[in-house]
């Protein structure tokens, strides 16, 4: 998915969060948004993921203006095109891995056996093949939970993956695992936009926007 941000500005309660941002995110790229706290990283991420509207300017997906699309079309994008990875993993902690992954397959026209096979396959991709699908999410380490979150995006087959500080709560070993998985997803055709304070993997990004 190609994303074009044209002259985007955002004002909240009379305060200008950022203004006049122009940025092109090319299809199949891994890019980062960086900046100090309060510079609007998450707000811009929300605008890109259609969860918020800019105060001015526009955003285009594959040359289609999606700035003011209808609620129905926005839901379709969120359901079919976008996947999310969160700093706090965004999983149902008291549910099993299988129950969490099943959410990504909710709208897929697959029988139970095919869904189970896809879950096993994606668990292997995330180096989690030795973890029982029936295990509660709350029993997993932070790195394992983040990989389950990524697995959910893969199952959903999201063209655009939005990640808000996905490695902020991880140690250096798990940070590298997650960043490696992002590179692998990029190699498979996904476009990935993330926010981060880390400088450990700057050379891995195709572009970095500093706010």
């Amino acid at each position: 998915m190609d994303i074009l941000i044209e002259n985007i500005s955002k004002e909240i309660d009379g305060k200008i969060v950022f203004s006049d941002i122009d940025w092109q995110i090319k299809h199949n790229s891994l890019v980062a948004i960086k900046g100090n706290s309060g510079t609007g990283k998450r707000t811009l991420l929300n605008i890109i993921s259609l969860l918020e509207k800019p105060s001015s300017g526009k955003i285009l997906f594959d040359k289609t203006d999606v700035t003011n699309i209808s609620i129905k079309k926005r839901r379709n994008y969120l359901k079919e095109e976008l996947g999310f990875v969160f700093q706090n993993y965004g999983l149902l902690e008291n549910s099993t891995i299988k129950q969490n992954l099943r959410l990504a397959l909710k709208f897929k026209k697959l029988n139970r056996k095919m869904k189970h096979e896809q879950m096993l396959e994606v668990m292997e991709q995330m180096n989690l093949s030795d973890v029982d699908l029936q295990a509660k999410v709350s029993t997993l380490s932070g790195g394992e939970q983040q990989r389950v979150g990524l697995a959910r995006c893969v199952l959903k087959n999201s063209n655009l993956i939005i990640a808000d500080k996905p490695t902020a709560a991880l140690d250096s070993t798990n940070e590298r695992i997650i960043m490696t998985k992002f590179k692998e997803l990029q190699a498979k055709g996904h476009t990935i936009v993330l926010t981060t304070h880390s400088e450990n993997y700057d050379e891995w990004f195709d572009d970095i926007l500093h706010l």
Side-chain angles (χ1 to χ4, degrees):
M1 178 185 290
D2 283 308
I3 302 169
L4 184 61
I5 295 169
E6 293 187 343
N7 203 31
I8 287 287
S9 297
K10 183 66 176 182
E11 183 177 321
I12 300 176
D13 296 329
K15 178 184 177 182
I16 296 174
V17 181
F18 49 71
S19 61
D20 304 324
I21 292 178
D22 292 296
W23 195 27
Q24 183 177 7
I25 303 169
K26 295 182 179 180
H27 169 69
N28 191 209
S29 61
L30 172 61
V31 302
I33 301 170
K34 291 192 163 196
N36 295 327
S37 297
T39 54
K41 297 184 300 298
R42 180 178 294 178
T43 300
L44 181 56
L45 205 64
N46 286 344
I47 290 172
I48 294 171
S49 56
L50 305 182
L51 298 177
E52 290 187 40
K53 289 185 179 182
S55 300
S56 62
K58 60 183 179 179
I59 179 168
L60 292 85
F61 287 174
D62 292 330
K63 299 182 180 180
T64 298
D65 190 343
V66 295
T67 316
N68 294 298
I69 56 174
S70 66
I71 293 175
K72 182 179 179 180
K73 287 183 178 179
R74 183 168 64 89
R75 284 175 179 168
N76 285 338
Y77 270 112
L78 292 171
K79 183 174 73 173
E80 299 172 6
E81 301 285 347
L82 277 64
F84 295 89
V85 180
F86 303 97
Q87 179 180 350
N88 62 353
Y89 318 128
L91 302 172
L92 303 174
E93 290 190 2
N94 294 320
S95 299
T96 66
I97 295 172
K98 186 173 185 177
Q99 288 169 329
N100 274 272
L101 294 181
R102 190 183 291 156
L103 294 173
L105 298 170
K106 184 176 180 180
F107 299 104
K108 303 287 185 181
K109 295 181 179 179
L110 302 170
N111 61 40
R112 185 175 297 180
K113 180 181 178 181
M114 293 172 69
K115 288 182 178 181
H116 184 72
E117 289 175 348
Q118 286 197 9
M119 289 182 198
L120 293 177
E121 182 180 345
V122 76
M123 288 288 282
E124 185 174 354
Q125 290 176 27
M126 294 296 150
N127 302 121
L128 292 170
S129 55
D130 59 337
V131 180
D132 189 346
L133 282 171
Q134 298 298 337
K136 288 285 186 72
V137 166
S138 57
T139 67
L140 305 179
S141 70
E144 288 171 334
Q145 288 191 43
Q146 196 60 291
R147 277 181 277 162
V148 172
L150 273 176
R152 193 169 55 185
C153 286
V154 174
L155 283 174
K156 188 180 176 183
N157 197 27
S158 308
N159 288 322
L160 173 61
I161 296 175
I162 301 290
D164 184 21
K165 300 177 186 175
T167 62
L170 305 179
D171 59 28
S172 59
T173 299
N174 279 297
E175 179 184 22
R176 186 168 187 85
I177 290 172
I178 293 301
M179 289 305 300
T180 299
K181 293 305 174 186
F182 277 132
K183 289 297 288 184
E184 290 174 1
L185 290 173
Q186 179 190 12
K188 293 178 180 178
H190 298 271
T191 302
I192 302 159
V193 184
L194 60 84
T195 59
T196 182
H197 287 295
S198 174
E199 298 179 353
N200 296 336
Y201 297 93
D202 282 2
E203 70 275 10
W204 290 27
F205 297 117
D206 298 299
D207 194 14
I208 300 174
L209 175 67
H210 293 276
L211 295 181

